[in-house]
């Protein structure tokens, strides 16, 4: 029998987004524009969360340079921040054992208080507090705004720094102060985006619209790597014209396979009631909070949307707490994959988890809190 003929495909498998485009990235851009906070009209694609942050930092600095204010080139970041492992992202991240070997490479930033209510940086209780921790940012901006390009935050939920949940008022105050002092606001929604905090984006929970937004992780449902940095029309316009181009690019920027995965992922949000699953997870977390709080070794429970964290009392509190390996092994031995942040147990379940499986995870965590400690 004759060999079957091969049909030649006339579509490139990948093309660098430098003067070129392709259908999957155009489809994804249109879908993102429909769901992101109003005003974030333009997208710069990269490869992952760290590169999305690098793009945002460089855009913020060049934005002011293009406007004739090159002295505005410094960044403000929060205590306990984590924004990725590339050099710029490490620079705006908090000092830690992970960054210390590379301190010679990191650029200096203005470090201001985080709204870590359990360990309040100004010694207040939440019940008596008027978001007093924001005064650290206010002071820095009042004294240095002529040199500051942007403030970068993880909105409402600081992830690797301890699953720290901020009051919505904190993010709202950050937005107001940025506006008052002509400083851009960058929100790193790599972790918090696509439903994690109960809305599509954490910014929406606080009613805040940033100037730049970083996305990754959930954009493809976790199947393929993709990063995106969104900016307002006003920022985009400052890069139009001779000598104002943003010279930045990655070979696999806007990879068609990754973009197709992102399009398919966003179509699931369109066709299915994903937020009904988000609400189910949220409600089950809320039901377990009181039970966890009854154990004497539990110092605090924190919850926002589909994230629940249990901070345990420990003399060596932090990522390298001796509790971490003991907890990790305990969970694995019972068939549950959890990655404690030292003395902090947290849950970020996939939206497809069943109520029964989620209850099982909670049961194992409660067993750990009750017995291993």
């Amino acid at each position: 029998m004759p060999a079957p003929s091969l049909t030649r495909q006339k579509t490139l498998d990948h093309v660098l987004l430098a003067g070129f485009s392709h259908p999957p990235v155009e489809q994804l851009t249109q879908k993102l524009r429909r769901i992101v906070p109003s005003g974030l009209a333009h997208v710069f694609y990269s490869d992952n969360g760290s590169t999305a942050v690098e793009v945002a930092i460089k855009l913020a600095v060049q934005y002011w340079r293009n406007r004739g204010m090159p002295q505005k080139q410094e960044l403000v970041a929060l205590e306990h921040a984590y924004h990725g492992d590339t050099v710029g992202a490490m620079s705006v991240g908090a000092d830690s054992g992970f960054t210390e070997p590379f301190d010679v490479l990191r650029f200096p930033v203005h470090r201001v208080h985080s709204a870590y209510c359990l360990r309040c940086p100004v010694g207040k209780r939440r019940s008596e507090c008027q978001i007093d921790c924001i005064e650290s940012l206010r002071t820095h901006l009042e004294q240095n705004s002529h040199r500051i390009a942007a403030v970068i935050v993880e909105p409402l939920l600081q992830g690797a720094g301890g699953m720290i949940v901020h009051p919505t008022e904190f993010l709202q105050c950050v937005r107001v102060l940025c506006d008052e002092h002509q400083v851009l606001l960058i929100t790193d929604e790599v972790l918090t985006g696509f439903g994690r905090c109960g809305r599509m984006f954490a910014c929406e929970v606080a009613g805040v619209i940033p100037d730049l937004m970083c996305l990754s992780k959930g954009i493809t449902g976790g199947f393929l790597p993709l990063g995106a940095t969104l900016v307002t029309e006003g920022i985009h316009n400052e890069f139009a014209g001779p000598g104002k181009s943003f010279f930045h690019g990655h070979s696999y920027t806007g990879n068609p396979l990754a973009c197709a995965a992102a399009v398919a992922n966003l179509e699931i949000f369109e066709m299915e009631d994903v937020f009904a699953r988000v609400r189910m997870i949220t409600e089950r977390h809320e039901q377990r909070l009181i039970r966890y709080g009854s154990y004497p070794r539990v110092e605090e429970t924190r919850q926002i949307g589909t994230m629940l964290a249990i901070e345990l009392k420990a003399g060596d509190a932090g990522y390298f707490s001796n509790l971490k390996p003991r907890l990790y092994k305990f969970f694995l031995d019972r068939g549950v994959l959890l990655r404690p942040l030292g003395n902090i147990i947290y849950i970020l379940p996939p939206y497809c988890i069943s109520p029964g499986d989620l209850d099982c995870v909670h049961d194992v965590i409660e067993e750990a809190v009750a017995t291993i400690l």
Side-chain angles (χ1 to χ4, degrees):
M1 296 178 61
S5 61
L6 297 177
T7 302
R8 290 186 177 276
Q9 296 294 324
K10 295 183 179 181
T11 302
L12 287 173
D13 54 354
H14 177 73
V15 61
L16 178 66
L17 295 183
F20 292 91
S21 187
H22 53 74
V25 80
E26 295 295 334
Q27 294 167 17
L28 176 56
T29 299
Q30 293 306 313
K31 286 186 178 296
L32 285 175
R33 284 174 174 164
R34 288 197 290 268
I35 64 171
V36 297
S38 174
L40 295 171
H42 297 273
V43 190
F44 192 100
Y45 290 98
S46 58
D47 309 300
N48 56 63
S50 290
T51 57
V53 169
E54 298 282 344
V55 168
I57 290 171
K58 292 175 69 175
L59 282 170
V61 170
Q62 189 178 338
Y63 167 80
W64 293 111
R65 183 182 184 87
N66 287 354
R67 289 193 61 183
M69 290 179 272
Q71 74 278 8
K72 288 174 71 68
Q73 58 185 257
E74 299 175 9
L75 280 296
V76 178
L78 300 183
E79 296 166 344
H80 311 292
Y82 175 78
H83 296 286
D85 295 328
T86 48
V87 172
M90 279 198 304
S91 297
V92 292
D95 297 340
S96 71
F98 293 96
T99 61
E100 188 274 333
F102 313 106
D103 282 348
V104 67
L105 301 177
R106 298 166 72 205
F107 57 76
V109 303
H110 299 267
R111 190 73 58 186
V112 299
H113 291 329
S114 161
Y116 192 175
C117 295
L118 174 63
R119 308 186 190 285
C120 177
V122 295
K124 293 290 187 73
R125 294 181 180 275
R126 182 68 187 98
S127 58
E128 63 187 27
C129 172
Q130 300 298 318
I131 316 298
D132 300 82
C133 54
I134 200 67
E135 295 306 313
S136 174
L137 174 61
R138 188 190 306 277
T139 299
H140 273 76
L141 293 183
E142 287 176 350
Q143 296 174 354
N144 305 290
S145 62
H146 62 288
R147 296 187 284 121
I148 292 173
V151 175
I152 182 168
V153 300
E154 299 160 84
L156 300 188
L157 173 63
Q158 288 186 284
M163 293 297 164
I164 302 165
V165 178
H166 292 167
T168 56
E169 295 92 338
F170 180 77
L171 182 60
Q172 292 164 351
C173 289
V174 173
R175 174 73 274 181
V176 169
L177 288 174
C178 286
D179 289 340
E180 288 179 354
H181 294 279
Q182 285 193 295
V183 169
L184 300 176
L185 173 59
I186 303 170
T187 56
D188 177 355
E189 294 246 18
V190 170
L191 171 67
T192 57
F194 303 99
R196 274 293 167 207
C197 293
R199 299 284 297 273
M200 187 63 83
F201 300 101
C203 291
E204 295 176 287
V205 178
V208 165
I209 299 176
D211 301 296
L212 304 96
M213 175 188 282
C214 307
L215 302 176
S216 190
K217 294 188 187 299
I219 194 171
T220 65
F223 278 90
L224 288 171
L226 182 67
T229 305
L230 293 97
V231 304
T232 62
E233 190 77 38
I235 292 177
H236 176 268
N237 290 343
E238 289 298 330
F239 290 85
K244 292 190 172 184
S245 297
F246 182 55
F247 291 112
H248 183 100
H250 300 269
S251 295
Y252 286 96
T253 286
N255 176 261
L257 285 176
C259 288
V263 168
N265 179 51
L266 295 183
E267 286 177 346
I268 292 174
F269 278 90
E270 294 168 357
M271 296 184 296
E272 302 178 17
D273 193 354
V274 175
F275 281 93
R277 302 172 201 161
V278 169
R279 288 190 295 273
M280 180 277 291
I281 295 169
T282 300
E283 290 166 4
R284 268 178 157 70
H285 284 347
E286 291 170 346
Q287 292 165 8
R288 301 298 285 251
L289 283 176
I290 297 175
R291 289 171 58 172
Y292 289 126
S294 67
Y295 289 95
R297 192 67 182 270
V298 173
E299 189 163 18
E300 185 184 61
T301 59
R302 300 187 283 273
Q303 185 262 331
I304 182 170
T306 66
M307 192 291 300
L308 181 143
I310 304 150
E311 182 156 352
L312 304 173
K313 298 174 184 176
D316 60 346
Y319 187 86
F320 298 103
S321 171
N322 288 324
L323 282 174
K324 178 178 179 176
R326 293 167 57 198
L327 289 166
Y328 189 65
K329 183 178 186 303
F330 184 93
F331 296 137
L332 283 181
D333 287 346
R334 285 153 182 78
V336 176
L337 178 58
L338 293 172
R339 298 175 59 245
L341 294 169
N343 61 306
I344 299 171
I345 304 168
Y346 73 94
I347 321 172
L348 275 173
Y351 302 155
C352 59
I353 195 169
S354 70
D357 284 345
L358 183 55
D359 289 341
C360 178
V361 172
H362 277 294
D363 289 342
V364 171
I365 292 173
E366 191 167 353
E367 181 187 0
V369 172
T371 61
I372 194 173
L373 306 173

